[in-house]
């Protein structure tokens, strides 16, 4: 491979040795170490473009897994990071505090609905889910109901890769049988069938209603991804389902955790997906786009009632405190990312991405290999009948100048909100073209 020449992008030599080292020594997400999956060295990124070591540029359709909503290498986010790094990149949060945490906290309290107001800042989405689960268990312990410690989740869910988070992921796609005896057994309601925007079908909530009723004495919380299930199947369900879940949780004394790690910060067309149903959860998990995709940071928000109850119980505090809790650098960038989001009409932008994807992905539905096309907010999904051949498809996408990483039966895109119509057309065009080739 040749050296990359770009004034904004320092030279970086990617010889065969570097790639060989990567393949020999570095795990990649959900990838084997024995049979190297394709991987492309990226040397820098700007706006919606990734620059590869061989000089090619790809239009990014993934926002680096939902996170990079403002595009790469954004001047305001760079400035926020640079300003903060001059002061301190990190300092412990035990016994100390700092302005980046306060500034981010102020914004999160203002942005999220009442009565969410107590914020736990942690390292990653999975950890924020662990934190929410622990909070729910400590809450009921403090209320004198220690038997309430199980979770009710939805089939098709994805909540992260740590053990408690895994326990509430779909049992089949989450491979629970591999970890039998290690992953706690939770309860699962069938995946909501009634789609977002379709007429409501009251029978859709029956399974969930039955489970919460039958198990209320052992349930600490319900956890779900509101409206849009992400990595568990890219599935959009009816807002009425969510409203009824809220009502049933209240009726049966069960807390509601909304995992908005993927949906938060506008992705579904609302700032938070819960707004589609007009409900407020007892705990809200945020991550991914929180720092505009710059650094790993997540947050679990809860109510004063939950936080104060936990703090009055044994042992008088919430039992969690990561080393990098409220990392100042990440908090500073997160505050800047929120300011950036609120400074422009992101909602109009997401709406126009939505309508363009609807129009331009629609022809895929005519392919014999395609089951259906669905779009919500800035998420576009083409579901195929058979699982896609990932290495082949990804290679073809790269050849077509776009960055997309399908999984299972799903070819999907959630581009940075800053993408312009011409670049979005290149993405949707590549999907149409590559899928029709694959259809033969
Ligand atoms: C990505 C994701 C997580 C896990 O976040 P990590 O930062 O990867 O640990 C949890 N829940 C949802 C809905 C996600 O999309």
């Amino acid at each position: 491979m040749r050296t990359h020449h770009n004034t904004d992008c320092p030279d970086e030599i990617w010889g065969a040795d570097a790639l060989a080292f990567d393949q020999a020594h570095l795990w990649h997400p959900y990838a084997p170490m024995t049979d190297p999956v394709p991987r492309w060295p990226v040397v820098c990124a700007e706006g919606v473009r990734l620059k590869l070591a061989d000089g090619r540029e790809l239009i990014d359709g993934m926002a680096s897994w939902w996170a990079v909503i403002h595009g790469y290498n954004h001047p305001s986010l760079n400035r926020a990071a640079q300003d903060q790094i001059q002061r301190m990149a990190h300092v412990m949060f035990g016994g100390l505090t700092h302005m980046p945490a306060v500034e981010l906290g102020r914004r999160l309290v203002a942005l999220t609905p009442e009565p969410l107001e107590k914020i736990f800042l942690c390292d990653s989405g999975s950890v924020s889910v662990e934190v929410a689960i622990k909070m729910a268990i400590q809450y009921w312990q403090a209320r004198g109901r220690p038997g309430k410690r199980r979770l009710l989740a939805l089939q098709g869910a994805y909540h992260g890769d740590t053990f408690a988070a895994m326990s509430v992921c779909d049992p089949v796609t989450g491979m629970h049988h591999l970890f039998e005896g290690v992953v706690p057994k939770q309860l699962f309601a069938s995946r909501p069938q009634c789609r977002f925007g379709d007429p409501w079908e009251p029978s859709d909530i029956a399974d969930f209603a039955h489970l919460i009723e039958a198990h209320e004495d052992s349930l600490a919380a319900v956890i779900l991804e509101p409206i849009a299930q992400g990595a568990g199947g890219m599935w959009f369900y009816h807002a009425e389902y969510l409203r009824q879940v809220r009502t049933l949780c209240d009726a049966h004394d069960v807390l509601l955790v909304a995992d908005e790690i993927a949906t938060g910060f506008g992705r579904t067309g609302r700032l938070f997906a819960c707004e589609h149903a007009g409900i407020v959860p007892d705990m809200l998990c945020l991550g991914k786009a929180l720092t505009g995709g710059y650094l790993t940071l997540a947050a679990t928000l809860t109510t004063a009632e939950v936080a104060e109850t936990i703090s009055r119980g044994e042992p008088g505090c919430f039992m969690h405190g990561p080393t990098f809790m409220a990392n100042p650098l990440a908090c500073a960038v997160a505050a800047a990312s929120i300011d950036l989001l609120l400074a422009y009409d992101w909602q109009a932008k997401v709406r126009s991405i939505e309508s363009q994807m609807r129009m331009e992905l629609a022809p895929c539905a005519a392919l014999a290999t395609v089951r259906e096309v669905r779009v919500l907010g800035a998420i576009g999904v083409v579901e195929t009948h058979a699982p896609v051949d990932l290495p082949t498809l990804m290679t073809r996408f790269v050849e077509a100048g776009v960055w997309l990483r399908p999984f299972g039966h799903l070819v999907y895109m959630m581009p940075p909100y800053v993408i312009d119509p011409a670049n979005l057309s290149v993405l949707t065009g590549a999907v149409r073209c590559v899928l029709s080739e694959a259809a033969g």
Side-chain angles (χ1 to χ4, degrees), residues 34 70-71 75-76 99 118 177 190 211 221 257 266 293 304 349 351 371 390 412:
T34 44
H70 307 301
S76 333
M99 200 49 90
K118 308 291 189 197
H177 71 273
S190 42
L211 284 168
V257 180
K349 198 63 220 215
R351 257 198 307 270
R371 183 193 296 271
L390 185 66
Y412 65 104

Side-chain angles (χ1 to χ4, degrees), residues 96-114:
L96 296 171
T97 193
H98 47 76
M99 200 49 90
V102 171
E103 287 296 322
L104 173 58
R106 283 192 209 282
R107 285 162 176 77
L108 289 176
V109 170
L111 219 55
T112 57
E114 279 175 28

Side-chain angles (χ1 to χ4, degrees), residues 124-126 158-160 225 259 261-262 288:
S124 73
S126 299
Y158 178 77
H159 295 291
E225 299 149 275
D259 176 352
I261 292 165
K288 292 202 161 100

Side-chain angles (χ1 to χ4, degrees), residues 281-361:
D282 301 292
M283 270 95 110
L284 173 67
C285 296
L286 300 174
K288 292 202 161 100
L290 176 58
T291 62
Y294 264 51
L295 288 151
T296 178
L297 183 72
T300 309
L301 284 88
T302 192
T303 63
E305 200 258 323
V306 168
E308 285 160 13
T309 302
I310 290 170
S311 307
R312 278 194 299 268
E314 187 206 346
C317 64
F318 177 56
M319 291 298 287
H320 209 94
T323 307
F324 287 98
M325 183 164 182
N327 172 254
L329 190 53
C331 288
V333 176
S337 174
I338 291 171
D339 290 346
L340 204 53
L341 185 67
L342 300 181
Y344 74 104
D345 192 354
W346 62 268
Q347 208 158 11
K349 198 63 220 215
V350 169
R351 257 198 307 270
S352 82
I353 292 172
E354 177 173 28
S355 57
Q356 192 181 341
M357 286 196 301
R358 254 186 232 291
M359 207 155 63
E360 295 179 357
L361 290 176

